[in-house]
Amino acid sequence: MGIRDIIEGKRQWRAHVARIEALPPDYRIVYREIQKYLFKVGPAELPEILPGIAEFFEEGVAGGKSVMQLIGPDVAAFCDDVIANSLTTPGAAGR
């Protein structure tokens, strides 16, 4: 990994964080809980999963849904489903 890769990675992360900060407060709170859970579990697909969740949340906001309508009452169960989906369906993280 060269310096350009590191810089590009930081640029992508900052853009991702900006997307999250643009979400309504309840979505941001749930996203941070999801992020904490996924950082603890540590799936290798994390760089693909988090942007997928951001996109999923943006679609939920655009559709006028509450975050709990999207993920259900259990954040951990939602995360486990996302991880299982990402392991069985390449490129489908967060959907």
Side-chain angles (χ1 to χ4, degrees):
M1 177 182 278
I3 188 79
R4 290 175 198 238
D5 294 332
I6 294 170
I7 292 170
E8 181 58 27
K10 285 186 177 186
R11 186 175 297 128
Q12 289 174 358
W13 181 251
R14 286 185 186 123
H16 173 75
V17 170
R19 287 174 71 187
I20 299 306
E21 291 303 316
L23 293 170
D26 55 337
Y27 276 83
R28 288 193 310 259
I29 291 166
V30 171
Y31 176 84
R32 288 184 185 115
E33 291 303 314
I34 289 170
Q35 186 179 25
K36 279 189 230 177
Y37 183 87
L38 293 175
F39 281 166
K40 285 181 184 177
V41 174
E45 297 79 13
L46 198 56
E48 293 93 31
I49 291 174
L50 293 177
I53 292 172
E55 182 179 335
F56 180 62
F57 279 11
E58 289 167 340
E59 291 170 2
V61 170
K65 295 182 179 179
S66 76
V67 70
M68 298 314 284
Q69 286 176 306
L70 292 178
I71 70 161
D74 189 348
V75 173
F78 172 78
C79 292
D80 291 340
D81 288 344
V82 168
I83 292 168
N85 187 38
S86 72
L87 295 175
T88 58
T89 311
R95 294 192 180 101

